Structure formats: structure tokens, C-alpha cells
Amino acid sequence: MENLENQNTENPGSISLDKKEQQFESRIDMIELRRSLDSVKSEIAKVIVGQENMVEHLLAALLSNGHVLIEGVPGVAKTITAKLLAKTIDVGFSRIQFTPDLMPSDILGTSIFNVKNSEFEFKQGPVFSNFILIDEINRSPAKTQAALFEVMEERQITMDGTQYTMEEPFLVVATQNPIEHEGTYRLPEAQLDRFLFKINVGYPTLENEITIIRNQHESKKEDKTEGVNKVITAQQLKNYQHLVKEIIVESQLIEYIAKIIVNTRENQFLYLGASPRASLALLTASKAFAALRGRDFVTPEDIKEASYAILRHRVIVSPEREMEGLTADEIIRQILEGIEIPR
């Protein structure tokens, strides 16, 4: 059975849900959203052991209408988790396996000459769907990766002078292996910046490993995903995405977000800081985490929880510090600890 890590290694700034947060009267009705997302978690939990934090980040990306990059060694269920999430939503699903010989036309589509009417017709590629899973995205060369620039940012494709708008909802979930570098092509910063989150996946805990082995031993099903049901429609997801935009963010929290981003640009340990796109991403993701907690307002804890996955792929550690073993997550933690939390 595919295995998966426990959530505690993915996000060092993860904040547990405080029961007291539920003791208020919400100004925005979040009940249906919360119930639907809980149902999605329950469906995924039929197959996946642990990794609640990763699932929550994927759900936050759904609510934020943002793309996700999942990084982890082989065998930690990056791909199956994304497939399970897609299976719980009643939308189109397409999987693209990136390989060194993959061409941009294999993703976007190509014009084919129709001998019946003597005209060229555009045949859509697999990217024309709602939920796109790109496996091993760093296996294809730069020109193939660049084919995703427009569709990820603008939700459209331009072919032969014609624009094709993608049907909403539209989400790209990509996976990559951080260990094996032979035959891979590093993603350019411009493409990394188009991913809302970068989720790091590690190994499971001992308890989860035991449960994974036991479940595999006792399972009689050939297809482990056959019991996973669709629980959210495309229209519901679009409604939830619209609802998240209405979540309240106080002015001091907007300043808090700005201070975090500006600090990455001024930090002596970072060669490259985050762009204004990161500020907007952090704002949107913080609203999504508030919605996951059933709240209609953002707290500093929501911002902290989102910061690691938002920033770790948008900043570059200076070469000297990287040689010393300093990571982007550790620098982000230092930045968060050094900024006064608004009250």
C-alpha cells in the first residue's frame, strides 16, 4: 500500500485548532463548507494514513483556486493523494506523466488537418480539464514546462492566434522528486512562483507505518480507491471559492502580511526574497485556512500556518548559508518569530 507521512514534518508552524474558536456566531454561514470539506477528508482517510496537514493544504489550495507543487521521495503517496482528492470532486480529471521526450503539443493540443473539410482543427490536449495531475513535473525540459506558464497564471491557452479559456474550477497539482537529479530539469523561478503552495512530504511515523502495513495485509480490494465517493460538485466548489473571498481580514493583519514579505527581501540570509504575488497568495491562503477552521475572519495563526508553504519555493537561501545547512523553512521561522504579532 502507498504510504504517507504524518503531518508534523510538513509544516513546522502548524497551529492546532482551538475549541474556543468555535464559540462565536459567524457572520458568514460556513457550516455547509465545513461539512463538505470534512466529508472530503473522510473519503481520503479511507485510503491514506496520516498526512492530515497535507490534505488540509490541498483543500486550502482548492478554496484559494491555486495550484500546488508536492515534493517528496518516491513511495510516499504524492500521486495517489492527488488522485483521491480529484475523485471526491465531481469535475473532470486528467493525469499527465512528464517525460524527457514530452512536447508542448502533447500537453496543450495541436492543430490537425481535416481532409473532409480541408481545414485545420484544434485537437485539445489533456490540460483541457478541471483537475490536472502532473506527475514528475521536473522530468520534462524547459520548453515543455514553459507550456504551462500561460494556462497556470491566466487560465487560458493561446494557439494559432486563438484563445481558449479553461473551464472553472481549474487546478494543477504537480509532483516532483527532490532526491534524484539525473534526467531532471529544475523548474524556473517564474514557474515556481505560479504555484500557490509547495508541500514537502516526508516519511510516516512508526505508528502510521504499522497501520499502513496492517491495512495492506488485511485489505482484499484490488483497487484501493474504489470506495472513495464524490462529495462535492463543481458548482459547490465555485461557491466555496467565492465565499472564501468574503472572509474578513483586519487592517493590522494586512500590515502583518506585508511585513513578512518585505522581511524576506531584506533578510541577510536570503539571496532572493518574495514578490508581491506572494503577498496576495498569503492573503488568499490565510482566508482559506480560516474557512477550514469554520471562521469568517483571519487570525495571525492562519497567516503563520500558510507562510511556510507559500514562501519556501519563492525564496532562495544565500549560497553561504545553504552550505551551512540552513533551509528556507528555518529562515521563514526566524522571520515569523522576529515580527510582532498583531493583537
Side-chain angles (χ1 to χ4, degrees):
M1 178 176 179
E2 296 277 1
N3 63 0
L4 208 51
E5 68 154 340
N6 194 10
Q7 62 174 341
N8 55 0
T9 59
E10 141 60 22
N11 186 359
S14 180
I15 307 297
S16 61
L17 179 60
D18 190 340
K19 293 181 180 180
K20 294 181 179 179
E21 291 179 352
Q22 303 305 312
Q23 298 174 0
F24 65 90
E25 184 177 351
S26 178
R27 290 152 288 188
I28 303 174
D29 188 3
M30 311 294 292
I31 296 176
E32 181 188 346
L33 182 151
R34 185 73 182 271
R35 287 176 178 171
S36 295
L37 297 185
D38 284 344
S39 297
V40 170
K41 294 177 185 179
S42 298
E43 293 298 316
I44 294 176
K46 292 178 179 179
V47 179
I48 300 300
V49 177
Q51 194 58 8
E52 293 86 356
N53 195 70
M54 178 187 178
V55 173
E56 287 210 340
H57 274 74
L58 287 171
L59 292 176
L62 277 177
L63 295 177
S64 305
N65 198 21
H67 311 298
V68 180
L69 177 63
I70 307 175
E71 184 175 275
V73 298
V76 292
K78 304 182 299 293
T79 301
I80 193 173
T81 303
K83 289 174 65 177
L84 287 170
L85 178 61
K87 195 168 183 180
T88 63
I89 308 169
D90 191 14
V91 294
F93 172 73
S94 180
R95 174 179 172 174
I96 310 173
Q97 182 69 50
F98 267 35
T99 56
D101 61 345
L102 197 69
M103 300 295 291
S105 59
D106 297 326
I107 303 169
L108 306 179
T110 186
S111 296
I112 299 176
F113 185 73
N114 190 329
V115 295
K116 293 183 178 180
N117 53 22
S118 300
E119 294 181 353
F120 282 94
E121 296 180 354
F122 178 64
K123 183 174 179 59
Q124 296 180 350
V127 78
F128 282 85
S129 190
N130 300 110
F131 195 110
I132 315 298
L133 171 59
I134 300 177
D135 207 10
E136 300 285 354
I137 188 172
N138 57 340
R139 289 287 176 190
S140 288
K143 65 178 180 180
T144 304
Q145 294 179 12
L148 298 170
F149 278 23
E150 181 183 11
V151 69
M152 288 181 65
E153 178 64 21
E154 303 174 39
R155 263 77 173 183
Q156 69 176 31
I157 289 175
T158 304
M159 294 291 292
D160 300 327
T162 303
Q163 287 185 353
Y164 300 89
T165 302
M166 310 307 292
E167 181 183 353
E168 295 289 345
F170 180 76
L171 175 72
V172 174
V173 176
T175 70
Q176 70 175 13
N177 176 1
I179 304 300
E180 188 177 6
H181 299 293
E182 185 175 352
T184 64
Y185 304 83
R186 186 179 183 275
L187 272 64
E189 302 304 325
Q191 184 168 5
L192 285 172
D193 202 36
R194 282 163 168 76
F195 286 101
L196 178 73
F197 289 148
K198 179 183 177 183
I199 305 174
N200 290 341
V201 182
Y203 291 114
T205 63
L206 174 61
E207 293 76 12
N208 284 342
E209 191 87 27
I210 293 171
T211 304
I212 290 166
I213 299 171
R214 182 178 291 114
N215 288 350
Q216 175 67 14
H217 172 66
E218 297 174 353
S219 176
K220 300 296 186 279
K221 297 179 180 179
E222 292 292 333
D223 182 8
K224 296 184 289 290
T225 67
E226 65 180 15
V228 177
N229 303 310
K230 298 184 185 299
V231 294
I232 298 180
T233 66
Q235 186 59 50
Q236 282 179 309
L237 179 55
K238 287 189 283 187
N239 292 342
Y240 298 156
Q241 291 173 346
H242 179 74
L243 191 64
V244 167
K245 295 178 181 179
E246 300 178 7
I247 287 179
I248 300 165
V249 185
E250 299 294 341
S251 59
Q252 63 266 30
L253 292 181
I254 293 178
E255 294 178 9
Y256 182 54
I257 291 173
K259 288 178 181 178
I260 294 173
I261 302 303
V262 171
N263 198 299
T264 66
R265 302 168 192 166
E266 300 174 349
N267 193 287
Q268 60 179 333
F269 298 153
L270 293 177
Y271 173 75
L272 177 69
S275 69
R277 182 182 287 166
S279 300
L280 302 178
L282 187 51
L283 173 67
T284 303
S286 300
K287 293 181 180 181
F289 277 109
L292 287 172
R293 305 295 183 261
R295 286 187 270 99
D296 65 348
F297 61 92
V298 171
T299 67
E301 285 70 28
D302 298 322
I303 298 172
K304 285 184 175 182
E305 187 167 9
S307 293
Y308 292 90
I310 288 286
L311 295 175
R312 63 165 57 105
H313 60 296
R314 289 184 164 96
V315 299
I316 298 179
V317 181
S318 63
E320 302 83 21
R321 300 302 177 183
E322 191 172 22
M323 290 179 64
E324 295 174 1
L326 195 62
T327 65
D329 278 17
E330 291 170 345
I331 297 175
I332 294 168
R333 183 188 292 108
Q334 293 174 9
I335 290 174
L336 294 174
E337 292 175 351
I339 300 176
E340 183 179 358
I341 300 174
R343 301 297 180 186

